[in-house]
Amino acid sequence: QVRLVEFGGGLVQPGGSLRLSCTASGLLTNIFSITWYRQAPNNEREFVARVIRGTGDTEYADSVKGRFTISRDNAKATVYLQMNNLNLQDTAVYYCRAIGSQVYWGQGTQVTVSS
C-alpha cells in the first residue's frame, strides 16, 4: 500500500509562486511515475505534469509549460511542483497520483490565485 500526502497549497496573488510537494510512504519499489492533476470547481480533473520515478523524464500540460516545473527526490520519496507566474486559471485543488501495482491518489491541496 502507498500513501501520498500533498503540502504547499495556499493563497497567492497573480504572478506569484508556490511549491507543492507530494510525499509517498509505504511500499514504493513498484512506483513508476508520479503525476500532478488539478480540479477547478465545476471542471473535470486535468493533467498538469508527470515525472518518471526512475529516469526523471517529465511531461507537462501545454497550459503550464514554461511556468511549472516538476522534480523528484527519490531519497525523500517526494515529488515537487514548482509553480511560477500563477494566474487565476491555476486556481484548483491539486492532487498527486502514483502509478505502481495500483493507482494511488493523495487527498489534494488547495491552490487559490486571487488579487
Side-chain angles (χ1 to χ4, degrees):
Q1 192 73 4
V2 173
R3 181 169 178 252
L4 303 174
V5 180
E6 300 101 332
F7 287 103
L11 174 64
V12 63
Q13 292 185 342
S17 298
L18 282 174
R19 188 175 81 155
L20 306 182
S21 64
C22 171
T23 299
S25 61
L27 185 60
L28 305 181
T29 52
N30 292 330
I31 297 300
F32 173 74
S33 65
I34 302 287
T35 304
W36 284 98
Y37 285 81
R38 66 187 181 186
Q39 187 166 19
N42 302 316
N43 285 359
E44 295 185 354
R45 196 168 294 188
E46 64 174 5
F47 166 79
V48 176
R50 173 182 298 115
V51 63
I52 304 301
R53 182 167 172 260
T55 64
D57 290 344
T58 59
E59 182 182 358
Y60 297 91
D62 288 343
S63 59
V64 307
K65 278 182 183 176
R67 300 187 299 123
F68 290 12
T69 303
I70 189 170
S71 60
R72 90 250 194 261
D73 184 336
N74 288 340
K76 295 182 179 179
T78 298
V79 170
Y80 302 98
L81 185 68
Q82 177 66 43
M83 307 186 295
N84 298 328
N85 195 21
L86 285 159
N87 59 53
L88 300 178
Q89 288 70 41
D90 295 317
T91 294
V93 177
Y94 284 70
Y95 300 89
C96 64
R97 184 192 76 173
I99 293 181
S101 57
Q102 300 179 52
V103 178
Y104 306 94
W105 288 92
Q107 83 287 352
T109 185
Q110 175 70 48
V111 172
T112 302
V113 184
S114 175
S115 55

